[in-house]
Amino acid sequence: GENVEQHPSTLSVQEGDSAVIKCTYSDSASNYFPWYKQELGKRPQLIIDIRSNVGEKKDQRIAVTLNKTAKHFSLHITETQPEDSAVYFCAASKNTNAGKSTFGDGTTLTVKP
Amino acid sequence: NAGVTQTPKFQVLKTGQSMTLQCAQDMNHEYMSWYRQDPGMGLRLIHYSVGAGITDQGEVPNGYNVSRSTTEDFPLRLLSAAPSQTSVYFCASSPTGFRQPQHFGDGTRLSIL
């Protein structure tokens, strides 16, 4: 089955710096890659997603890039703010296998004021 | 719309007890799933359903049962609780399983003594 590895497991940055989280996946048939943000004690919530026919997608300070050849995708957060502090999860799924998602283990991002 | 509603929010059980975690969604989503979240291990799929009357196993199904008699409801049953089932449980739904983000409930924090 699909295997998703996420790095780093923890990341600490100064406010205003950029943060990058990377995920690699094993199944070349995977074609949908969402990122979720989970604040402490809260539910995971989608922040951005990308489909395999697109190489990059941006939404204000957040961007995701996808390299299908290398089978990895990355989350980029620019001009980080303390409210960006949370756990971020990547996931991968494909059109077969009922579209089940496989999640990475998460990255704890801390933005220091 | 309430989205995905999970009850209870917290529960303490004794080893060997059984219970049902409730999940309901009002978005007419076909795909529903149950995850457990343990520290440092991300979200692991327990069971999922692609529509009323259809369920299947995920990565970690042992000790859990599900049913899907209606589109709205997807209860998770613990048959005989064990300390290893202490975790936070999230229910999620999406319009279909394919290339769609999942909408998560607020979670149920379950402790087995």
Side-chain angles (χ1 to χ4, degrees):
Chain A
E2 174 69 279
N3 182 48
V4 176
E5 294 189 355
Q6 183 172 345
H7 299 281
S9 57
T10 61
L11 180 59
S12 181
V13 300
Q14 288 295 134
E15 182 177 0
D17 287 351
S18 294
V20 181
I21 303 170
K22 182 177 177 178
C23 288
T24 59
Y25 60 99
S26 60
D27 190 340
S28 57
S30 289
N31 59 6
Y32 177 64
F33 308 94
W35 286 90
Y36 295 87
K37 175 183 180 182
Q38 186 180 29
E39 296 176 355
L40 190 62
K42 303 288 187 181
R43 69 177 78 180
Q45 291 190 292
L46 179 79
I47 54 171
I48 196 166
D49 58 6
I50 192 166
R51 292 171 173 80
S52 58
N53 57 339
V54 174
E56 183 176 2
K57 183 177 179 180
K58 288 184 179 179
D59 183 2
Q60 299 183 339
R61 296 187 296 109
I62 295 172
V64 56
T65 58
L66 172 64
N67 184 327
K68 288 189 292 183
T69 302
K71 291 189 284 186
H72 67 71
F73 57 110
S74 299
L75 178 70
H76 305 255
I77 305 174
T78 59
E79 301 173 18
T80 54
Q81 301 167 3
E83 50 265 40
D84 294 328
S85 295
V87 180
Y88 292 82
F89 292 98
C90 63
S93 66
K94 58 187 179 183
N95 284 354
T96 58
N97 203 23
K100 289 184 295 183
S101 294
T102 300
F103 284 81
D105 287 341
T107 296
T108 301
L109 174 64
T110 303
V111 180
K112 298 177 181 177
Chain B
N1 286 351
V4 179
T5 302
Q6 290 184 237
T7 56
K9 294 192 185 305
F10 304 93
Q11 184 71 48
V12 179
L13 292 178
K14 294 181 179 178
T15 298
Q17 288 185 314
S18 62
M19 81 160 294
T20 299
L21 308 186
Q22 301 291 343
C23 176
Q25 53 91 9
D26 61 359
M27 298 173 283
N28 202 31
H29 286 173
E30 290 296 324
Y31 185 87
M32 296 186 72
S33 53
W34 275 101
Y35 295 88
R36 60 177 289 172
Q37 184 176 33
D38 301 298
M41 298 186 73
L43 293 153
R44 292 185 292 168
L45 183 65
I46 304 171
H47 286 285
Y48 68 98
S49 169
V50 298
I54 306 169
T55 64
D56 206 346
Q57 297 180 350
E59 298 175 66
V60 289
N62 292 340
Y64 307 95
N65 273 355
V66 292
S67 60
R68 183 94 180 270
S69 56
T70 67
T71 299
E72 294 78 20
D73 299 301
F74 191 42
L76 177 72
R77 280 182 289 276
L78 278 71
L79 309 173
S80 177
S84 60
Q85 294 178 304
T86 293
S87 188
V88 180
Y89 291 84
F90 285 100
C91 178
S93 73
S94 65
T96 70
F98 305 107
R99 308 181 88 183
Q100 296 278 351
Q102 296 193 65
H103 302 258
F104 286 86
D106 285 335
T108 295
R109 187 173 298 273
L110 183 63
S111 294
I112 316 294
L113 304 178

